[in-house]
């Protein structure tokens, strides 16, 4: 796995038209709520490092006070690494993932705001703001009549016309984007389902304070510094769950499964 070509072939095997492992890495690394991955074109491994240590942060809380010549109190909180307890990443890989993405550009074509003060009854107000819990609002502000409601606040109604999405063309080069992904892989041998999930959880928590650049070409934000993977020897699964079941379970938890021949 220290060979970039070998690792790249594991993450995106030949003939894999969906690229599920790459999609799992992207879903963990980025917030894709405003972008849909239409297809995965490639996953190029740029750099591989073996046996990298992560030092999770620990918190120290303290208090200092004095009474002479005058009373003073101070609170101090420190987040410091715990160098005695490293978490080891067996393989850390930097990848460039090229995908075709349908992105929602967001924004509005027009916004029209106008005052709303001509309601005659509470039911008129309730009908205009059907999404609004009027009864709770009245109780919270101690309002009992429509006159009190009208005088308490100024009410504004806004009509927003969202921007019309252009027709998506997967062959348009403008929809092809290359996103950086850092993959942290841990080897679990002999295989243990719970141990694999725990190991990747520890890596993700230890890397939570790490930051990276966020792409500007699509509407997304970086949510995790590392995507995680569990490396499993094919023969170590034994009579337990099938490899496909293991991969589906790990994928639901945002973890990639890589099965290697034991030779």
């Amino acid at each position: 796995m220290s060979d970039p070509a070998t690792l790249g072939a594991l993450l995106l095997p030949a003939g894999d038209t969906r690229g599920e492992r790459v999609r799992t890495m992207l879903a963990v690394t980025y917030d894709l709520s405003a972008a849909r991955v239409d297809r995965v074109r490639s996953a190029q491994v740029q750099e591989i490092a073996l046996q990298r240590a992560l030092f999770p942060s620990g918190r120290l809380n303290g208090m200092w006070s004095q009474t002479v010549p005058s009373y003073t109190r101070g609170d101090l909180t420190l987040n410091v690494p715990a160098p005695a307890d490293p978490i080891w990443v067996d393989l850390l890989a930097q990848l460039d993932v090229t995908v075709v993405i349908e992105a929602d550009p967001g924004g509005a074509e027009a916004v029209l705001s106008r005052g709303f003060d001509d309601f005659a009854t509470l039911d008129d107000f309730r009908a205009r703001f059907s999404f609004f819990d009027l009864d709770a609002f009245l109780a919270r502000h101690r309002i009992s009549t429509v006159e009190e409601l009208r005088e308490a606040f100024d009410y504004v109604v806004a009509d927003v016309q969202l921007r019309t999405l252009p027709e998506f063309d997967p062959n348009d080069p403008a929809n092809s984007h290359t996103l950086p992904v850092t993959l942290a892989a841990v080897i679990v041998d002999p295989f243990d389902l719970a141990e694999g999930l725990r190991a990747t959880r520890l890596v993700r928590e230890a890397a939570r304070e790490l930051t990276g650049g966020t792409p500007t070409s699509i509407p997304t934000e970086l949510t995790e510094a590392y995507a995680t993977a569990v490396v499993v020897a094919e023969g170590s699964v034994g009579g337990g769950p099938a490899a496909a079941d293991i991969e589906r379970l790990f994928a639901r938890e945002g973890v990639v499964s890589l099965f290697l021949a034991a030779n």
Side-chain angles (χ1 to χ4, degrees), residues 43-66:
Q44 299 293 328
V45 180
Q46 303 297 331
E47 183 180 349
I48 291 179
L50 303 178
Q51 295 303 323
R52 286 297 182 90
L54 290 175
F55 297 97
S57 294
R59 172 168 293 185
L60 297 177
N61 295 322
M63 183 185 70
W64 175 83
S65 63
Q66 70 176 31

Side-chain angles (χ1 to χ4, degrees), residues 179-195:
L179 305 177
V181 174
T182 302
L183 178 67
V186 294
I187 298 172
V188 181
D189 187 23
F191 174 70
D192 183 280
L193 193 64
E195 181 62 27

Side-chain angles (χ1 to χ4, degrees), residues 155-263:
Y155 305 99
V156 178
V157 178
D159 293 326
V160 180
Q161 181 180 348
L162 298 178
R163 183 179 302 168
T164 303
L165 295 178
E167 185 177 354
F168 175 67
D169 181 7
N171 298 315
D172 187 347
N175 292 323
S176 182
H177 303 273
T178 299
L179 305 177
V181 174
T182 302
L183 178 67
V186 294
I187 298 172
V188 181
D189 187 23
F191 174 70
D192 183 280
L193 193 64
E195 181 62 27
L197 289 174
R198 291 170 185 169
T200 54
R201 282 281 187 269
L202 288 175
V203 168
R204 193 173 295 175
E205 288 297 325
R208 190 170 295 279
E209 300 298 325
L210 302 179
T211 57
T214 296
T216 58
S217 59
I218 61 173
T220 184
E221 294 183 356
L222 195 70
T223 54
E224 295 280 354
Y226 294 164
T228 53
V230 171
V231 182
V232 181
E234 289 180 344
S236 64
V237 176
D245 294 330
I246 294 172
E247 187 158 6
R248 280 193 294 268
L249 173 63
F250 278 6
R252 285 200 301 267
E253 298 299 321
V255 180
V256 174
S257 305
L258 299 176
F259 294 91
L260 290 180
N263 55 4

